[in-house]
Amino acid sequence: MEDEETHLTQNKQIILKNFIEGRNPRETDLEFKISKVSLRIPKGSGGVVVKNLYLSCDPYMRGRMRDFNGSYIPPFVPGSVIQGFGVSKVVDSNDPNFKIGDLVTGFTGWEEYSLLQKTEQLKKIQPGDIPPSYYVGLLGMPGFTAYAGFYEVCSPKQGDYVFVSAASGAVGQLVGQLAKLHGCYVVGSAGTNQKVDLLKNKLGFDEAFNYKEEPDLNSTLKRYFPQGIDIYFDNVGGSMLDAALLNMKIHGRIAICGMVSHVSYTEGIQNLFMLITKRIRMQGFLQSDYVHLFPKFLEFIISNYKQGNVIYIEDMTEGLENAPDAFAGLFSGKNVGKKVICITHE
Amino acid sequence: MEDEETHLTQNKQIILKNFIEGRNPRETDLEFKISKVSLRIPKGSGGVVVKNLYLSCDPYMRGRMRDFNGSYIPPFVPGSVIQGFGVSKVVDSNDPNFKIGDLVTGFTGWEEYSLLQKTEQLKKIQPGDIPPSYYVGLLGMPGFTAYAGFYEVCSPKQGDYVFVSAASGAVGQLVGQLAKLHGCYVVGSAGTNQKVDLLKNKLGFDEAFNYKEEPDLNSTLKRYFPQGIDIYFDNVGGSMLDAALLNMKIHGRIAICGMVSHVSYTEGIQNLFMLITKRIRMQGFLQSDYVHLFPKFLEFIISNYKQGNVIYIEDMTEGLENAPDAFAGLFSGKNVGKKVICITHE
């Protein structure tokens, strides 16, 4: 509701309270706050004002909550609105490339309305058969991470034995489906029986297991891969990575996509000697190094989605006020599928 | 001396007493023993009898002293003679490819005389300008490990910043020289000031340091590589690998050649998250995967050796009875350069 005198509108926001260090984010690290914003763009300022519809909850955002400038992306500012990928609708524009009503995706604020100056990072979405929220998931950074990681880092071959951890997550669920399309045998791990069921019965994984019910991950992987693992797509690090190292085949490939597990930093990884005996290539990557492939990715995924070869599971939280809880839940595996916050559907 | 009645000759031997587990080899794990051997090859048995001249002490042999069959090479047999690479002279032959007096290199026993049945693994050495012992070092497995690891795993470019650990060792000293020939900037680490001096003043490294005098390897590497490391050729693992991970450049490469440090297995490697933020490729390798390149390697190294572009530092121990001490010394860094045992010079 715009105030007639001030032209200011209420703007719900999510603020970072303080930097965190050496632990996972908690709901209380973020603050829900109501502020005011002008929906009219200041003349000559450039940019657009958008109404945010969907916000993406991504594990990499943990890194922006630390007081550390040496990473590939700068930290958030305590006391200010946090940012992330989102799907938004243009409500005012000083940029000839965007008109009021356009749907866009790109970096935005965790708030109802944002003034975005860097419009070159925004991409226009054509309304169509695909849910707009998929542009921060299947067709966004997580989907492209799966695509670039699997095809460009894992060197997959038909018949390869592929293991995916955090397999029902935003990235893992697509990695598994791409591996199946490629003719691989795919096993996924997840942290609840509900997720295991999704992997086997919805996402087409050959096998899946609940790692929380497995006392010895080394024997678990031996059971699922008696012949060894060709490709491990690692979203977690920690003791799962250590167990996978023991079960890799000679000349296996490990794509290091994420390290949600804190064991990676505290206890460390013990079995790297396997890299030598099994001549393993282990490679970290970021999707941003492969942007030249993005158009090809989009075409490939949209086509496969429309043919029903690929599906995508979202876990939608309604209401910005529930965003802190939704975000913190990522690190305890509360989300089932890609976590998205819906501020409003239109 | 041959016994006239039995045709048996005294044969000094080195025996593995018992398997070891979870620790480095000690002198007392090996036993010096005198046995008897026939220097005449049994009729129709095939193979050759050789007099062993030089034996190679290599860190990988630690792995053969464990009761573990899952590695790329089977364990030694307790109570029996251990094996390794050597340079030998044929004293009797049932194989038309080898005649008495031929110099050969390949797997042999740690003893004065050996009966070798698998002659297909033996290579003939042409006597020439190159010391025969170099065929277990510069022109043997360690030299080829350096060559294959540097050119095939590290993806080197002119101007790259290269760090080599255990840099004066059998492999490291050649990696550094190859990197210099390739137009790279090269820093090496070693465990004594004598070795550091060799690296800087004999082997042509740009810089070198004694890691035992450095309280914080992370700051040490920052000092030597203010702009970061493109290539880390890792011969040690452990805390040096952890420090290197923190100092890699984006898109850096780490070749995992050896893990002498026990920290790799006990405390683990903590900084693997850097693989993601810096998009590092970390690859274990064995020279045996690159045998198709061996002839090219030999030609390249012999030519560069003759032109004085490459030198090789050996640390020769005289006498088989001193072999247990020489071998154990590998794991405390007692050797200065490639460790070779000379049983006899001819």
Side-chain angles (χ1 to χ4, degrees):
Chain A
M1 287 155 291
E2 184 168 341
D3 182 308
E4 296 223 349
E5 273 183 42
T6 60
H7 305 299
L8 290 183
T9 299
Q10 170 187 292
N11 196 21
K12 297 179 186 168
Q13 298 182 308
I14 302 294
I15 309 290
L16 174 67
K17 282 198 222 162
N18 288 297
F19 284 128
I20 63 170
E21 206 55 62
R23 61 167 173 84
N24 276 328
R26 297 180 194 128
E27 186 184 344
T28 50
D29 295 321
L30 299 173
E31 189 180 354
F32 176 76
K33 182 180 142 179
I34 296 180
S35 159
K36 297 260 178 189
V37 67
S38 168
L39 299 191
R40 303 193 188 161
I41 204 149
K43 278 223 171 104
S45 75
V48 294
V49 174
V50 297
K51 181 184 189 186
N52 297 309
L53 310 181
Y54 301 101
L55 299 175
S56 180
C57 288
D58 295 301
Y60 82 88
M61 297 168 74
R62 173 176 67 181
R64 302 192 69 183
M65 296 172 74
R66 296 183 307 146
D67 187 13
F68 175 66
N69 281 286
S71 189
Y72 56 95
I73 190 164
F76 294 137
V77 179
S80 297
V81 174
I82 66 169
Q83 294 95 41
F85 292 106
V87 174
S88 317
K89 187 182 255 177
V90 175
V91 295
D92 197 9
S93 173
N94 257 349
D95 184 321
N97 295 311
F98 299 96
K99 61 178 201 300
I100 293 173
D102 277 351
L103 272 186
V104 295
T105 182
F107 266 106
T108 191
W110 277 37
E111 56 193 345
E112 287 179 285
Y113 299 97
S114 299
L115 169 61
L116 304 178
Q117 304 274 9
K118 295 185 182 168
T119 50
E120 67 281 1
Q121 56 93 22
L122 291 177
K123 283 176 222 147
K124 238 185 279 192
I125 296 175
Q126 301 308 332
D129 312 335
I130 295 179
S133 59
Y134 277 23
Y135 282 87
V136 295
L138 180 63
L139 303 174
M141 184 276 286
F144 187 52
T145 299
Y147 179 89
F150 183 67
Y151 291 113
E152 302 301 311
V153 179
C154 293
S155 310
K157 294 185 308 294
Q158 194 182 353
D160 273 352
Y161 289 82
V162 176
F163 174 50
V164 186
S165 55
S168 69
V171 176
Q173 61 174 301
L174 186 57
V175 173
Q177 294 179 84
L178 295 177
K180 284 307 297 173
L181 285 176
H182 207 75
C184 302
Y185 179 87
V186 189
V187 179
S189 66
T192 68
N193 293 338
Q194 180 198 5
K195 293 178 186 180
V196 167
D197 181 65
L198 278 176
L199 290 170
K200 292 205 278 192
N201 300 318
K202 278 222 154 171
L203 290 160
F205 283 60
D206 294 289
E207 283 290 349
F209 63 88
N210 178 350
Y211 73 90
K212 291 183 178 163
E213 293 183 348
E214 299 291 335
D216 172 6
L217 293 172
N218 179 17
S219 6
T220 306
L221 290 178
K222 268 193 190 23
R223 198 164 76 236
Y224 285 102
F225 295 98
Q227 64 300 88
I229 301 168
D230 291 291
I231 292 173
Y232 173 37
F233 196 102
D234 184 12
N235 290 306
V236 301
S239 47
M240 191 67 94
L241 175 55
D242 254 333
L245 279 163
L246 295 176
N247 285 281
M248 295 302 289
K249 280 210 242 186
I250 284 171
H251 296 139
R253 286 84 68 198
I254 302 179
I256 304 285
C257 179
M259 289 209 170
V260 171
S261 165
H262 259 275
V263 172
S264 316
Y265 319 104
T266 51
E267 294 171 35
I269 302 298
Q270 323 270 324
N271 296 327
L272 285 183
F273 191 71
M274 292 294 124
L275 294 184
I276 303 178
T277 54
K278 293 172 174 175
R279 295 88 99 185
I280 296 166
R281 171 161 58 79
M282 186 160 156
Q283 192 166 344
F285 73 100
L286 291 175
Q287 48 84 28
S288 49
D289 284 337
Y290 301 91
V291 278
H292 57 287
L293 299 175
F294 197 85
K296 199 178 144 196
F297 151 75
L298 222 48
E299 194 185 330
F300 176 84
I301 296 292
I302 290 176
S303 149
N304 274 286
Y305 175 74
K306 288 189 176 168
Q307 291 169 57
N309 298 333
V310 158
I311 63 165
Y312 201 63
I313 296 175
E314 283 184 332
D315 182 342
M316 189 82 80
T317 291
E318 302 278 341
L320 187 62
E321 60 279 17
N322 299 316
D325 175 58
F327 177 70
L330 279 184
F331 301 94
S332 56
K334 262 174 77 177
N335 57 307
V336 179
K338 164 67 189 163
K339 187 55 154 174
V340 181
I341 293 153
C342 174
I343 303 181
T344 170
H345 285 280
E346 54 183 349
Chain B
M1 286 154 291
E2 186 169 342
D3 182 309
E4 297 222 349
E5 274 183 43
T6 60
H7 305 300
L8 291 182
T9 298
Q10 170 187 292
N11 195 22
K12 297 179 185 166
Q13 297 183 308
I14 301 294
I15 309 291
L16 174 67
K17 281 199 222 161
N18 288 297
F19 285 128
I20 64 171
E21 206 54 62
R23 61 166 174 85
N24 277 327
R26 298 180 194 131
E27 186 184 345
T28 50
D29 294 321
L30 299 173
E31 190 181 354
F32 176 75
K33 181 179 141 180
I34 297 181
S35 159
K36 298 260 177 188
V37 66
S38 168
L39 300 191
R40 303 193 189 161
I41 203 149
K43 280 225 169 106
S45 75
V48 294
V49 173
V50 297
K51 180 186 189 187
N52 296 310
L53 310 182
Y54 302 101
L55 299 175
S56 180
C57 288
D58 295 301
Y60 82 88
M61 297 167 73
R62 173 176 68 181
R64 302 192 69 184
M65 297 173 72
R66 295 183 307 145
D67 186 13
F68 175 65
N69 281 287
S71 189
Y72 57 95
I73 190 163
F76 294 136
V77 179
S80 296
V81 174
I82 66 170
Q83 293 95 40
F85 292 106
V87 173
S88 317
K89 188 182 256 177
V90 176
V91 295
D92 197 10
S93 173
N94 257 348
D95 184 320
N97 295 311
F98 299 96
K99 60 177 199 302
I100 293 174
D102 277 351
L103 272 186
V104 295
T105 181
F107 266 106
T108 190
W110 278 36
E111 55 192 346
E112 287 179 285
Y113 300 97
S114 299
L115 169 62
L116 304 179
Q117 305 273 11
K118 295 186 181 166
T119 51
E120 66 282 1
Q121 56 94 21
L122 291 177
K123 284 177 220 146
K124 238 184 282 191
I125 296 176
Q126 302 306 331
D129 312 336
I130 296 179
S133 58
Y134 277 24
Y135 282 87
V136 295
L138 179 63
L139 303 175
M141 184 276 285
F144 188 52
T145 299
Y147 179 89
F150 184 67
Y151 292 113
E152 302 300 311
V153 180
C154 294
S155 310
K157 293 185 308 293
Q158 194 183 352
D160 273 352
Y161 289 80
V162 176
F163 174 50
V164 187
S165 54
S168 68
V171 176
Q173 59 174 302
L174 185 57
V175 172
Q177 294 180 83
L178 295 178
K180 284 307 298 173
L181 285 175
H182 206 75
C184 302
Y185 179 87
V186 188
V187 179
S189 67
T192 69
N193 293 338
Q194 181 198 3
K195 294 178 186 179
V196 167
D197 181 64
L198 278 176
L199 290 169
K200 292 205 279 193
N201 300 318
K202 278 220 154 172
L203 290 161
F205 283 60
D206 294 290
E207 284 290 350
F209 63 88
N210 179 349
Y211 73 90
K212 290 184 179 163
E213 293 183 347
E214 299 291 334
D216 172 7
L217 292 172
N218 179 16
S219 5
T220 306
L221 290 178
K222 270 196 187 21
R223 200 164 74 236
Y224 284 102
F225 295 98
Q227 63 299 88
I229 300 168
D230 291 291
I231 293 173
Y232 173 37
F233 195 102
D234 185 12
N235 289 305
V236 301
S239 47
M240 191 67 94
L241 174 55
D242 254 334
L245 280 163
L246 295 175
N247 285 282
M248 295 302 289
K249 280 210 243 186
I250 283 171
H251 296 138
R253 286 84 68 199
I254 302 179
I256 304 285
C257 180
M259 290 209 169
V260 172
S261 166
H262 258 275
V263 172
S264 316
Y265 318 104
T266 51
E267 294 172 35
I269 302 299
Q270 323 270 325
N271 296 327
L272 285 183
F273 191 71
M274 291 294 123
L275 294 184
I276 303 178
T277 55
K278 293 174 175 176
R279 295 88 100 186
I280 296 166
R281 171 161 58 79
M282 186 160 156
Q283 193 166 344
F285 74 100
L286 291 176
Q287 49 84 30
S288 48
D289 283 338
Y290 302 91
V291 278
H292 57 288
L293 299 175
F294 197 85
K296 198 177 146 196
F297 151 75
L298 222 47
E299 194 185 331
F300 176 84
I301 296 291
I302 290 176
S303 148
N304 274 285
Y305 175 74
K306 288 189 176 169
Q307 292 170 57
N309 298 333
V310 159
I311 62 165
Y312 202 62
I313 297 174
E314 282 184 333
D315 182 342
M316 189 83 79
T317 292
E318 303 278 342
L320 187 63
E321 59 279 17
N322 298 315
D325 175 58
F327 177 69
L330 279 183
F331 302 95
S332 55
K334 262 174 76 177
N335 56 306
V336 180
K338 165 65 188 165
K339 187 53 149 176
V340 181
I341 294 153
C342 174
I343 303 181
T344 171
H345 285 281
E346 54 182 349

